[in-house]
Amino acid sequence: MSTQYFSAKFVLTDKDGKTIFERIDKREDEKKAYDMFNRAVKDFYKDVNSLK
């Protein structure tokens, strides 16, 4: 399998549109882009939950 590249920007805003939390995730691996996306979403939720 060839190297896959993935990048995503996650932005959490309040009702007024102000940014509460932002995460940019860039990954490079020989895994499927779909799998990298799933891990990125899980990491985003983990970081957001740590804000509590």
Side-chain angles (χ1 to χ4, degrees):
M1 177 179 256
S2 62
T3 302
Q4 302 290 311
Y5 301 91
F6 169 85
S7 65
K9 181 177 181 179
F10 299 94
V11 181
L12 183 64
T13 60
D14 66 11
K15 66 179 182 172
D16 298 321
K18 292 182 182 178
T19 299
I20 298 169
F21 180 78
E22 181 176 301
R23 176 187 170 101
I24 297 174
D25 196 316
K26 296 181 181 182
R27 296 172 187 248
E28 174 181 332
D29 205 333
E30 289 188 2
K31 297 180 180 177
K32 294 179 182 177
Y34 177 81
D35 294 335
M36 289 190 287
F37 174 76
N38 280 336
R39 287 194 319 274
V41 170
K42 287 179 186 178
D43 289 347
F44 170 72
Y45 278 110
K46 183 176 145 185
D47 288 349
V48 169
N49 282 327
S50 72
L51 298 174
K52 292 180 182 180

